[in-house]
mmCIF file of all heavy atoms in Angstrom:
data_model
loop_
_atom_site.group_PDB
_atom_site.id
_atom_site.type_symbol
_atom_site.label_atom_id
_atom_site.label_comp_id
_atom_site.label_asym_id
_atom_site.label_seq_id
_atom_site.Cartn_x
_atom_site.Cartn_y
_atom_site.Cartn_z
ATOM 1 N N PRO I 49 -6.229 -19.021 7.473
ATOM 2 C CA PRO I 49 -5.671 -19.185 8.797
ATOM 3 C C PRO I 49 -4.397 -18.418 8.969
ATOM 4 O O PRO I 49 -3.262 -18.992 8.885
ATOM 5 C CB PRO I 49 -5.442 -20.676 8.939
ATOM 6 C CG PRO I 49 -5.240 -21.155 7.542
ATOM 7 C CD PRO I 49 -6.040 -20.237 6.684
ATOM 8 N N LEU I 50 -4.426 -17.095 9.226
ATOM 9 C CA LEU I 50 -3.183 -16.331 9.438
ATOM 10 C C LEU I 50 -2.991 -16.234 10.957
ATOM 11 O O LEU I 50 -3.921 -16.207 11.722
ATOM 12 C CB LEU I 50 -3.378 -14.920 8.882
ATOM 13 C CG LEU I 50 -3.585 -14.850 7.346
ATOM 14 C CD1 LEU I 50 -3.806 -13.458 6.886
ATOM 15 C CD2 LEU I 50 -2.425 -15.471 6.594
ATOM 16 N N THR I 51 -1.751 -16.214 11.376
ATOM 17 C CA THR I 51 -1.392 -16.145 12.785
ATOM 18 C C THR I 51 -1.018 -14.702 13.172
ATOM 19 O O THR I 51 -0.170 -14.079 12.552
ATOM 20 C CB THR I 51 -0.161 -17.044 13.053
ATOM 21 O OG1 THR I 51 -0.466 -18.323 12.561
ATOM 22 C CG2 THR I 51 0.138 -17.083 14.527
ATOM 23 N N GLY I 52 -1.725 -14.198 14.191
ATOM 24 C CA GLY I 52 -1.387 -12.899 14.673
ATOM 25 C C GLY I 52 -0.024 -12.861 15.332
ATOM 26 O O GLY I 52 0.279 -13.737 16.193
ATOM 27 N N VAL I 53 0.860 -11.992 14.968
ATOM 28 C CA VAL I 53 2.219 -11.902 15.564
ATOM 29 C C VAL I 53 2.209 -10.681 16.561
ATOM 30 O O VAL I 53 2.611 -10.872 17.700
ATOM 31 C CB VAL I 53 3.272 -11.737 14.470
ATOM 32 C CG1 VAL I 53 4.653 -11.529 15.141
ATOM 33 C CG2 VAL I 53 3.311 -12.889 13.548
ATOM 34 N N SER I 54 1.831 -9.489 16.108
ATOM 35 C CA SER I 54 1.861 -8.331 16.988
ATOM 36 C C SER I 54 0.773 -8.457 18.050
ATOM 37 O O SER I 54 0.864 -7.971 19.115
ATOM 38 C CB SER I 54 1.682 -7.062 16.199
ATOM 39 O OG SER I 54 0.457 -7.131 15.400
ATOM 40 N N ASP I 55 -0.341 -9.177 17.764
ATOM 41 C CA ASP I 55 -1.409 -9.407 18.663
ATOM 42 C C ASP I 55 -1.900 -10.837 18.361
ATOM 43 O O ASP I 55 -2.676 -11.042 17.452
ATOM 44 C CB ASP I 55 -2.550 -8.423 18.458
ATOM 45 C CG ASP I 55 -3.769 -8.666 19.393
ATOM 46 O OD1 ASP I 55 -3.748 -9.650 20.086
ATOM 47 O OD2 ASP I 55 -4.711 -7.805 19.332
ATOM 48 N N PRO I 56 -1.444 -11.822 19.179
ATOM 49 C CA PRO I 56 -1.762 -13.206 18.910
ATOM 50 C C PRO I 56 -3.271 -13.480 18.867
ATOM 51 O O PRO I 56 -3.754 -14.470 18.302
ATOM 52 C CB PRO I 56 -1.102 -13.956 19.961
ATOM 53 C CG PRO I 56 -0.001 -13.091 20.444
ATOM 54 C CD PRO I 56 -0.530 -11.693 20.252
ATOM 55 N N GLY I 57 -4.113 -12.656 19.482
ATOM 56 C CA GLY I 57 -5.540 -12.946 19.588
ATOM 57 C C GLY I 57 -6.368 -12.336 18.437
ATOM 58 O O GLY I 57 -7.538 -12.651 18.253
ATOM 59 N N ILE I 58 -5.714 -11.578 17.510
ATOM 60 C CA ILE I 58 -6.441 -10.959 16.452
ATOM 61 C C ILE I 58 -6.635 -11.980 15.309
ATOM 62 O O ILE I 58 -5.816 -12.773 15.052
ATOM 63 C CB ILE I 58 -5.714 -9.692 15.988
ATOM 64 C CG1 ILE I 58 -6.612 -8.807 15.228
ATOM 65 C CG2 ILE I 58 -4.470 -10.005 15.200
ATOM 66 C CD1 ILE I 58 -6.168 -7.363 15.100
ATOM 67 N N LEU I 59 -7.781 -11.814 14.618
ATOM 68 C CA LEU I 59 -8.137 -12.697 13.522
ATOM 69 C C LEU I 59 -8.182 -11.882 12.272
ATOM 70 O O LEU I 59 -8.553 -10.781 12.211
ATOM 71 C CB LEU I 59 -9.440 -13.335 13.770
ATOM 72 C CG LEU I 59 -9.600 -14.231 14.999
ATOM 73 C CD1 LEU I 59 -11.072 -14.621 15.182
ATOM 74 C CD2 LEU I 59 -8.725 -15.393 14.945
ATOM 75 N N PHE I 60 -7.772 -12.563 11.166
ATOM 76 C CA PHE I 60 -7.824 -11.936 9.826
ATOM 77 C C PHE I 60 -9.218 -11.562 9.488
ATOM 78 O O PHE I 60 -9.504 -10.562 8.870
ATOM 79 C CB PHE I 60 -7.242 -12.835 8.816
ATOM 80 C CG PHE I 60 -7.082 -12.292 7.442
ATOM 81 C CD1 PHE I 60 -6.636 -11.033 7.155
ATOM 82 C CD2 PHE I 60 -7.430 -13.082 6.344
ATOM 83 C CE1 PHE I 60 -6.457 -10.519 5.891
ATOM 84 C CE2 PHE I 60 -7.286 -12.639 5.049
ATOM 85 C CZ PHE I 60 -6.838 -11.311 4.812
#
Side-chain angles (χ1 to χ4, degrees):
L50 300 176
T51 306
V53 177
S54 56
D55 179 354
I58 198 162
L59 301 173
F60 185 44

